[in-house]
Amino acid sequence: MATNIVWHEASVSKEDRREKNDHGSFCLWFTGLSGSGKSTLANALAKYLFEANVQTYVLDGDNVRHGLNKDLGFTDEDRKENIRRIGEVSKLFVDGGQIVVTAFISPFREDRQQVRDILNENEFFEIYVNCSLDECEKRDPKGLYKKARNNEIKHFTGIDSPYEAPVNPELVVNTESQSIQESVKTIVQFLEEKGLIKSGISNDI
């Protein structure tokens, strides 16, 4: 661990940025099986909020592994480190006054809790993108389930690596029974009710 380091206070505070943006800053943590629709939903939500002048950024599991986390594999330890790094990056976005939307399987409850713990109250909202394994396998948008079933991929969540569903998430959206548009509206209404964004933004969905 690094030593002889001292925290330097920023000249522009998180509260200053929130006031200028006219909305809260926080992390929406989408978790669910591969193929459940996390990335599709995260990007649809971000686009809708962006068009409503709400500052957002999406951190996507595959995209992050092209850069920041390209040195990590899919063992349990690598998965934990993957989520730890994303948690720290998410905290930076929250400090910067933005809404960060993350789309990661993040299979372990302990790892998701650790991200929650580094953020303040009302800065971390776990959203369970609920979709059955059977439906995710039917969709199989990247062909990964087929490869996992054929033993071409190891440590694949839901097949030979566990997924621990949230026990008490702030919100559940079921992409098996809800359309993406319906799920986006559910999330935006949730944010309005929490007072994190202006009321009425969901009216046009």
Side-chain angles (χ1 to χ4, degrees):
M1 294 182 63
T3 58
N4 300 315
I5 56 175
V6 178
W7 185 265
H8 190 95
E9 292 298 331
S11 57
V12 181
S13 72
K14 177 167 52 179
E15 289 70 25
D16 292 335
R17 297 180 190 279
R18 287 172 171 170
E19 184 175 353
K20 185 172 184 178
N21 290 336
D22 200 23
H23 60 73
S25 64
F26 46 88
C27 174
L28 297 177
W29 191 277
F30 288 13
T31 177
L33 292 171
S34 177
S36 61
K38 298 181 300 300
S39 295
T40 302
L41 179 55
N43 280 281
L45 173 66
K47 183 177 181 181
Y48 186 83
L49 291 176
F50 176 79
E51 291 174 349
N53 295 316
V54 177
Q55 303 300 312
T56 64
Y57 193 84
V58 175
L59 292 173
D60 177 81
D62 278 0
N63 290 359
V64 169
R65 283 181 176 273
H66 276 82
L68 177 67
N69 291 347
K70 66 181 179 180
D71 60 318
L72 299 176
F74 290 92
T75 65
D76 286 357
E77 287 307 310
D78 279 356
R79 287 176 182 271
K80 289 177 181 291
E81 175 60 14
N82 182 54
I83 298 307
R84 187 196 71 78
R85 293 183 193 178
I86 296 310
E88 293 292 346
V89 172
S90 297
K91 184 177 180 181
L92 293 176
F93 274 99
V94 173
D95 285 343
Q98 294 201 49
I99 297 170
V100 57
V101 186
T102 75
F104 292 84
I105 295 173
S106 48
F108 304 122
R109 296 188 189 111
E110 179 183 8
D111 298 340
R112 300 193 299 264
Q113 182 63 45
Q114 286 179 354
V115 179
R116 184 187 294 273
D117 289 343
I118 67 171
L119 291 163
N120 295 329
E121 187 176 358
N122 289 323
E123 289 186 350
F124 181 91
F125 300 95
E126 186 177 43
I127 299 178
Y128 179 28
V129 183
N130 189 8
C131 186
S132 69
L133 177 61
D134 285 346
E135 178 61 24
C136 289
E137 283 204 66
K138 288 177 185 175
R139 297 175 181 178
D140 203 8
K142 303 171 186 175
L144 299 178
Y145 283 102
K146 183 178 180 180
K147 289 183 178 180
R149 290 295 187 187
N150 291 333
N151 295 315
E152 297 173 43
I153 299 177
K154 299 296 184 183
H155 311 296
F156 192 77
T157 303
I159 305 300
D160 60 350
S161 187
Y163 176 74
E164 299 173 354
V167 177
N168 292 303
E170 276 73 19
L171 192 65
V172 177
V173 291
N174 191 314
T175 55
E176 199 166 349
S177 60
Q178 287 180 287
S179 69
I180 291 297
Q181 185 179 26
E182 289 169 336
S183 297
V184 167
K185 186 162 189 173
T186 296
I187 296 167
V188 174
Q189 288 177 333
F190 168 79
L191 298 178
E192 290 174 337
E193 290 167 5
K194 287 284 186 181
L196 295 166
I197 60 175
K198 287 182 178 179
S199 61
I201 289 177
S202 63
N203 291 345
D204 295 328
I205 302 178

